[in-house]
Amino acid sequence: MRALVTGCGRRLGFYLCQQLVADGWQVTGSYRSERPELAQLQALGVELVQADFCDAEAVDRLIQRLAVHQDLALVIHNASAFEPMSADPHQQLAQFEQFYRVHMAAPFQLNQALSPQLAAHDNASIIHLTDIYIHAPAPQFASYVASKAGAHALAMSFARELAPHIRVNTIEPGPILFLDEHSAQWRQHVLAKTPLAREGGLEPIWQAVQLLMTNHYMTGASIRVDGGRALAVI
């Protein structure tokens, strides 16, 4: 069987591709920008497709590439854009449009176009990666969080529309893997308000993916993987 992982070039997407290959899956990964990690995925046999999700035509080209793969049985929407709200009001709409394209419009295109292929297989699954902050949006990340909340609503709508042939669920990560630009002070601040008091790493997300892939009776579900951080922010 084949899986599509979007945003495969780094961090979580890169890791999920590795785990799926090790688990016996054929994998297609989409990426926006060239990165050194892509050579490693290519060496593993991952089919790589460049696609800027801000461009609807690029998403259509990805769909066309996937059309030949009648073994497609899993889609993981991992591609993400993230930055604080710009202080320049003229840039804020452009930011919102970018987040909307990456987190909502492109997944909508993919789900709509790929659902006939997915429905041909027993236990086909779509998984959207969202964020625990969809339940407690911070003003400085308003556009990002709003589009991630939209991705959640989109997933729930598809869960109803595509049942019983395709299951659609979401995973809500918390402090899984800090960014390089996060200072030691910021990391301490976040972990102090996380009940398990540690960075999660990428493996807990893979474990949640495995659950959603294999449990035949889960659709329209959301799994928080956050060390309990949502308890402090919601």
Side-chain angles (χ1 to χ4, degrees), residues 95-230:
Q95 281 184 308
F96 183 84
E97 289 175 344
Q98 177 193 18
F99 293 141
Y100 164 76
R101 282 293 324 162
V102 173
H103 301 149
M104 294 184 64
F108 177 83
Q109 281 180 264
L110 290 165
N111 287 358
Q112 287 280 59
L114 300 177
S115 57
Q117 288 169 252
L118 292 165
H121 303 284
D122 293 337
N123 202 33
S125 182
I126 298 172
I127 300 171
H128 290 250
L129 275 292
T130 62
D131 197 298
I132 60 168
Y133 285 97
I134 65 175
H135 306 290
Q140 66 268 37
F141 300 109
S143 295
Y144 165 81
V145 176
S147 61
K148 283 288 190 175
H152 170 82
L154 188 69
M156 297 302 105
S157 294
F158 273 114
R160 297 185 66 179
E161 177 185 346
L162 301 180
H165 302 295
I166 303 169
R167 299 181 300 103
V168 186
N169 297 287
T170 75
I171 296 172
E172 300 175 7
I176 295 300
L177 190 64
F178 287 114
L179 298 171
D180 292 341
E181 57 263 32
H182 286 146
S183 67
Q185 182 179 7
W186 172 252
R187 297 178 191 211
Q188 292 172 2
H189 169 76
V190 170
L191 296 181
K193 294 186 177 181
T194 301
L196 294 186
R198 62 181 183 272
E199 189 179 21
L202 299 177
E203 185 180 7
I205 300 293
W206 169 238
Q207 292 169 335
V209 167
Q210 288 179 298
L211 171 62
L212 294 177
M213 286 165 48
T214 58
N215 190 309
H216 292 219
Y217 205 59
M218 290 183 72
T219 196
S222 297
I223 300 177
R224 291 178 185 162
V225 185
D226 67 346
R229 175 148 175 81

Side-chain angles (χ1 to χ4, degrees), residues 48-63:
L48 298 172
V49 183
Q50 194 280 331
D52 183 348
F53 279 13
C54 290
D55 180 355
E57 292 184 357
V59 179
D60 282 335
R61 290 193 291 271
L62 171 60
I63 290 167

